[in-house]
Amino acid sequence: MHRLSEDISSRKLEALVAYLECKTLNAAADALNTSAVSVHRALHSLEDSVRCSLFRHEGRGLVPTEAAHTLAGVARDVLSRLDRGIEATRIAAGYASDRLKIGSLYSLTSHVLPELIKSMNQRRPNLQCELILGKSRHELLPRLKQGQIDAVFAEILPGDSDLVSLPMFEDEPYFAAPLSSPLAVHETIVLSEHVGEKVVTLAEGPFSAVQLAERFKNFHPSVVMEVQDIFTQMNLVSSGVACAVVPGRIRAMYQHLVRFIPFAESEGASQTMGLSIMKARERDPNLLVLTSVARIFVRERETRLPSV
C-alpha cells in the first residue's frame, strides 16, 4: 500500500486551495486567519512533500503551475470528503446531531422529564428528543457508556470517573397505602412495626424486594407481587391490592388515589436524583443545552413548595 508523506497535512492543502482561489498570500492568509508568512511556508513545504514544483517564481510572486492546479483539485475533494466524514462521525456518536436520546426512569416521566423536554424544545426547536425508559439506573448506564443514549436521568451514585453528574433533587421514600387501608390514617410510619404487611414491589432497582430488604433490614413484608414498572405498582396500590415502598417523586401523580405516608426519621433512605452524561461528551452542544435546562429546573424548583 502506498503511504503518503507525513508532511502532507490538511492545513497545507487548505493553504494551497486558498492561495489559488485568493490569488495573493495576504488574501489567502486572511481567509485562513493566519499570516502570509505561514501560508508561504506551507506552500513551499508542500512542494517538498510532493517532490515536484508547484509554482514558478516571477519577481516576488508565486505563479501556480498545472501541477498545482491538479493537486488543488484533489485537495478540494479530499478536504470536502474529510469534512463530511467528520460530520457523519459526530452524528453517529450523537454529537451536535438533530436527535437527542434521553434515558430516564419511569418514575421521572410524571413531572420532571416533561418540563425539561418542553424547555429543550423552546431552546432548540429543531432538536428531536427521544425518550428511552428503563427500570433502574443499572439498566440505563451501560447504554449510556455504549453510546446508545446521550444522557440519563436517574439516581446518582459516587465513584464513576467516566461520568459528569448534576444532582437535581433529594428524593425521600414513602410508604404508599390504599385510601381504604387502616394505615392511611398514620402521619408517619415505622416499617419495623409492620412486619408481614402485604406489599407490591418492583422487579428491579432500589425498590425491588431484594433492595428493600437491604435498605430496611427491620422491615419483613409479605411480597404478594413483583411488577415491571412503577405505574403498574401504583395502580395495584390504589385498587387496594397491597401497600408499597415508593419514591416520593411519584406522589404528584397519585396523591388523590393513594395515601403517601412519610417514614419516621430513623427510616430515611433518600436518593440523589439527577442528570448524568459521559465526561468525554460534556462539551457536546446539545448536552450543554440539556445541562443548562437542568440547572434552571433546579433553581426554579428551589422556589416552589410542592416537591416533585
Side-chain angles (χ1 to χ4, degrees):
M1 181 178 68
H2 177 68
R3 300 185 65 182
L4 293 175
S5 168
E6 294 180 359
D7 294 330
I8 299 178
S9 67
S10 61
R11 296 295 185 193
K12 295 175 184 178
L13 295 177
E14 287 174 341
L16 174 65
V17 171
Y19 181 70
L20 265 62
E21 292 179 350
C22 298
K23 310 300 183 184
T24 69
L25 290 173
N26 287 330
D30 289 341
L32 296 174
N33 194 29
T34 187
S35 67
V37 172
S38 295
V39 174
H40 193 268
R41 186 182 300 119
L43 295 178
H44 279 293
S45 176
L46 190 58
E47 278 190 313
D48 292 339
S49 298
V50 297
R51 298 192 295 277
C52 70
S53 297
L54 299 176
F55 302 96
R56 297 193 312 273
H57 292 268
E58 292 187 0
R60 298 180 63 182
L62 295 175
V63 179
T65 65
E66 185 63 27
H69 286 287
T70 299
L71 182 57
V74 174
R76 290 186 184 94
D77 183 54
V78 168
L79 293 171
S80 177
R81 286 174 177 268
L82 181 59
D83 186 62
R84 293 197 303 272
I86 291 173
E87 180 64 20
T89 301
R90 289 177 62 81
I91 290 174
Y95 283 71
S97 69
D98 60 358
R99 181 183 297 270
L100 189 66
K101 295 181 180 181
I102 302 174
S104 172
L105 301 180
Y106 285 91
S107 55
L108 291 171
T109 61
S110 64
H111 176 59
V112 178
L113 262 296
E115 286 194 30
L116 294 174
I117 291 176
K118 180 180 178 180
S119 296
M120 285 290 293
N121 288 338
Q122 291 172 345
R123 290 179 173 230
R124 291 283 182 92
N126 295 324
L127 180 65
Q128 182 178 349
C129 293
E130 180 180 347
L131 193 58
I132 297 160
L133 300 180
K135 304 180 187 72
S136 68
R137 177 182 188 274
H138 300 293
E139 177 183 344
L140 292 169
L141 282 189
R143 302 184 69 177
L144 177 68
K145 294 187 175 184
Q146 292 165 11
Q148 297 174 4
I149 53 180
D150 303 305
V152 165
F153 286 92
E155 182 180 9
I156 293 176
L157 297 176
D160 197 327
S161 59
D162 292 333
L163 300 180
V164 174
S165 297
L166 171 65
M168 295 178 65
F169 62 93
E170 292 295 319
D171 193 27
E172 297 287 343
Y174 280 75
F175 190 80
L179 296 178
S180 59
S181 170
L183 297 178
V185 300
H186 289 219
E187 292 299 321
T188 61
I189 196 163
V190 178
L191 291 181
S192 60
E193 296 177 357
H194 300 279
V195 173
E197 185 68 42
K198 292 181 179 180
V199 298
V200 179
T201 68
L202 295 175
E204 298 180 28
F207 293 91
S208 66
V210 172
Q211 292 294 314
L212 289 177
E214 293 181 0
R215 295 170 68 195
F216 308 105
K217 298 187 183 300
N218 295 323
F219 182 41
H220 304 285
S222 173
V223 178
V224 299
M225 190 178 299
E226 288 187 349
V227 296
Q228 296 299 316
D229 65 89
I230 196 168
F231 299 117
T232 301
Q233 182 187 36
M234 294 309 303
N235 288 336
L236 289 171
V237 174
S238 65
S239 65
V241 171
C243 299
V245 177
V246 299
R249 53 188 177 271
I250 200 67
R251 287 181 297 155
M253 195 171 183
Y254 285 91
Q255 58 188 354
H256 61 297
L257 298 173
V258 172
R259 174 78 165 98
F260 291 94
I261 309 167
F263 292 172
E265 186 175 350
S266 60
E267 301 282 4
S270 66
Q271 294 176 293
T272 301
M273 309 302 297
L275 166 66
S276 293
I277 62 175
M278 296 300 297
K279 182 177 292 185
R281 293 190 55 193
E282 62 181 326
R283 304 309 300 175
D284 179 278
N286 291 336
L287 294 179
L288 285 173
V289 175
L290 181 61
T291 302
S292 176
V293 165
R295 292 185 189 280
I296 292 172
F297 174 89
V298 172
R299 291 198 298 268
E300 292 180 347
R301 183 178 180 276
E302 291 174 350
T303 67
R304 300 195 299 260
L305 289 178
S307 58
V308 295

